[in-house]
Every structure is written in structure tokens, then in C-alpha cells.
């Protein structure tokens, strides 16, 4: 059994080395690349202001964090949820840098630092699979047809759910969910294991091309002449 934790964070800013802190952690559990419905979500009081730039991205204000626990008070629950599972993160150095910074602040009782080389970085996977293309999470969602209609702003749990779908598409497109809904982020810890709801009908195959890529492909095929065999495979 392969257990993986797809993880995303939000922060007060972009520079952990100069005092920015974690304010949100969202995790989704995968077993053999299938979402089980178990998740972890926590808002964190960073004990410093959220920068204007960061607020514009995630919409989490100082007022929303004022009554939330500090990282030291939630680290045990976070580490327990992750266990020894492999972490899956998009642009892993960013999130790992913040997590390890928070661990380091805890002193001798801190959990072991996360080893970056042990983390699956979906940004690196995407760059290898789609060299030269845009490989941020929005671009990958567009390429693979992952629904982002609920994503008005960035949020750690929702982004982790979306990344879990993208990750499986990067691996080849296996089923990503047991058909179970995950609660909306509420700012508190939520760790649930949900039973299997039974077999799921297979998804219809969808194009992995963006509209721009599809049009460029059509243009290339047209340039091959009227007898080109590839004309038989153009989408209607």
C-alpha cells in the first residue's frame, strides 16, 4: 500500500528566512494514488502581520488568524496525520522551506526536518513532462481539465485537493477520488477517514491539450498537405 500526503501551505509572505511565517496548512491523503477522503486543515496564528501581497493572493487577514493556535500547538496533530507517508507538493522548496523553518523554531523537541529529496515535487514532474510549457497549478488544471470553479483565491486545502487530481494526471490519469466530498475549509483541524463508497464508473477520456496547443497541432497537420494520414486523426 502506497500512502501519500498531498500538501499545500499559505504564508504571510514569500521569504521564510526574513521572518515570514505559515498561516495555513492543507493536506489530502492518497492511498495508491486514490483520494480516500481523509484530510488535515489548519489555520495558524503567525504572530506577525500578513503582507498586502500575500493577502491579495489568499485573502486570509490578520483578523481571521487572531484567535487561531500558533504552530507549536498544532505541530503534533500535523505530524501525526502525515506519519511516514511520502509528501507531494507543487514547488516543494517553498513549502518545505517554511515547514522546516517552523520546525527549527521549536527547538530540541522539534520533529525531524523534511528532506527535500524525499518529497515528490509536481512542478519538476510537470517540467519533465511538458518542457517549455507553463506548469503552474492553474496551467496544469487547464491542460488536464481539472475543475477549479471553486477556486476564487488560493487556499491550502482546496489547492491540495486540486493538486491531488493534477498529480494523478501527471502520473498517467488514474482515478483520483472515491467519490466522497471533502468538507470546505473551516479553519480548524479536520482529520477523517471515509469508507469506500463502492465501484466508480470510469471517466470519459479527455484531451490533454490546451486550446492553444490543439490549434497549433491543427495548423501543423494542415501544413502537411491534403494526403497526410494525420488528417484522419484530427478532432472534428
Amino acid at each position: 500500500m502506497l500512502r501519500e500526503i498531498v500538501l499545500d501551505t499559505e504564508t504571510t509572505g514569500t521569504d521564510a528566512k526574513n521572518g515570514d511565517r505559515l498561516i495555513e496548512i492543507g493536506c489530502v491523503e492518497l492511498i495508491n494514488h486514490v483520494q480516500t477522503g481523509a484530510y488535515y486543515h489548519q489555520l495558524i496564528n503567525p504572530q506577525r502581520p500578513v503582507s498586502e501581497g500575500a493577502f491579495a493572493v489568499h485573502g486570509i487577514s490578520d483578523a481571521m488568524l487572531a484567535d487561531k493556535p500558533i504552530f507549536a500547538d498544532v505541530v503534533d496533530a500535523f505530524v501525526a496525520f502525515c506519519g511516514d507517508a511520502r509528501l507531494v507538493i507543487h514547488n516543494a522548496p517553498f513549502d518545505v522551506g517554511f515547514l522546516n523553518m517552523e520546525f527549527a523554531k521549536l527547538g530540541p523537541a522539534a520533529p525531524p526536518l523534511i528532506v527535500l529529496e524525499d518529497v515528490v515535487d509536481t512542478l519538476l514532474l510537470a517540467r519533465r513532462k511538458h518542457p517549455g510549457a507553463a506548469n503552474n497549478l492553474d496551467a496544469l488544471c487547464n491542460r488536464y481539465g481539472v475543475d477549479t470553479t471553486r477556486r476564487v483565491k488560493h487556499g491550502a486545502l482546496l489547492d491540495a485537493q486540486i493538486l491531488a487530481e493534477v498529480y494523478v494526471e501527471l502520473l498517467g490519469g488514474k482515478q483520483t477520488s472515491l467519490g466522497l466530498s471533502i468538507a470546505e475549509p473551516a479553519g480548524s483541524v479536520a482529520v477523517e477517514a471515509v469508507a469506500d463508497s463502492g465501484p466508480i464508473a470510469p471517466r470519459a477520456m479527455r484531451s490533454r491539450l490546451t486550446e492553444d496547443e490543439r490549434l497549433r497541432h491543427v495548423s501543423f497537420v494542415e501544413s502537411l498537405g491534403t494526403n497526410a494520414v494525420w488528417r484522419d486523426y484530427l478532432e472534428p
Side-chain angles (χ1 to χ4, degrees), residues 4-131:
E4 296 171 298
I5 299 297
V6 183
L7 179 148
D8 188 66
T9 65
E10 300 297 342
T11 64
T12 62
T14 59
D15 195 343
K17 293 181 180 179
N18 286 325
D20 281 315
R21 303 288 300 271
L22 285 179
I23 61 172
E24 186 182 24
I25 302 174
C27 300
V28 175
E29 181 186 62
L30 302 182
I31 299 295
N32 297 331
H33 303 144
V34 176
Q35 292 189 51
T36 65
Y39 68 97
Y40 172 92
H41 176 245
Q42 181 65 59
L43 288 172
I44 300 164
N45 185 338
Q47 300 180 293
R48 63 157 293 160
V50 175
S51 70
E52 290 184 7
F55 175 75
V57 172
H58 51 58
I60 301 173
S61 67
D62 296 333
M64 294 169 63
L65 301 171
D67 63 346
K68 299 301 183 287
I70 62 174
F71 184 78
D73 292 336
V74 304
V75 63
D76 288 344
F78 166 63
V79 171
F81 179 80
C82 293
D84 59 359
R86 181 168 64 184
L87 297 180
V88 178
I89 305 173
H90 197 71
N91 191 19
F94 180 86
D95 300 85
V96 170
F98 271 93
L99 286 165
N100 281 343
M101 175 272 296
E102 296 287 359
F103 287 164
K105 290 180 180 293
L106 299 177
L113 297 181
I114 299 169
V115 179
L116 186 59
E117 289 73 18
D118 294 339
V119 176
V120 176
D121 189 339
T122 52
L123 178 58
L124 296 182
L125 289 179
R127 284 174 174 170
R128 287 196 291 267
K129 191 166 185 178
H130 306 291

Side-chain angles (χ1 to χ4, degrees), residues 121-235:
D121 189 339
T122 52
L123 178 58
L124 296 182
L125 289 179
R127 284 174 174 170
R128 287 196 291 267
K129 191 166 185 178
H130 306 291
N135 287 305
N136 58 55
L137 189 54
D138 286 333
L140 291 170
C141 288
N142 184 49
R143 181 174 294 124
Y144 290 126
V146 174
D147 181 19
T148 60
T149 54
R150 291 183 296 157
R151 192 177 185 241
V152 178
K153 286 185 178 288
H154 289 260
L157 181 57
L158 180 56
D159 279 3
Q161 292 175 254
I162 291 171
L163 179 58
E165 294 188 49
V166 168
Y167 172 52
V168 176
E169 293 290 349
L170 285 169
L171 295 179
K174 297 179 182 178
Q175 182 64 44
T176 64
S177 174
L178 296 178
L180 304 166
S181 60
I182 297 179
E184 293 296 322
S188 59
V189 177
V191 181
E192 297 184 10
V194 187
D196 190 341
S197 61
I200 300 173
R203 295 180 300 175
M205 293 296 290
R206 58 175 177 260
S207 173
R208 298 179 185 277
L209 299 178
T210 65
E211 182 62 14
D212 179 64
E213 289 169 337
R214 187 188 69 80
L215 291 175
R216 284 191 284 118
H217 172 68
V218 170
S219 178
F220 170 73
V221 172
E222 292 289 348
S223 73
L224 298 177
T226 58
N227 295 323
V229 67
W230 290 108
R231 286 177 172 273
D232 295 338
Y233 295 94
L234 286 179
E235 293 181 5

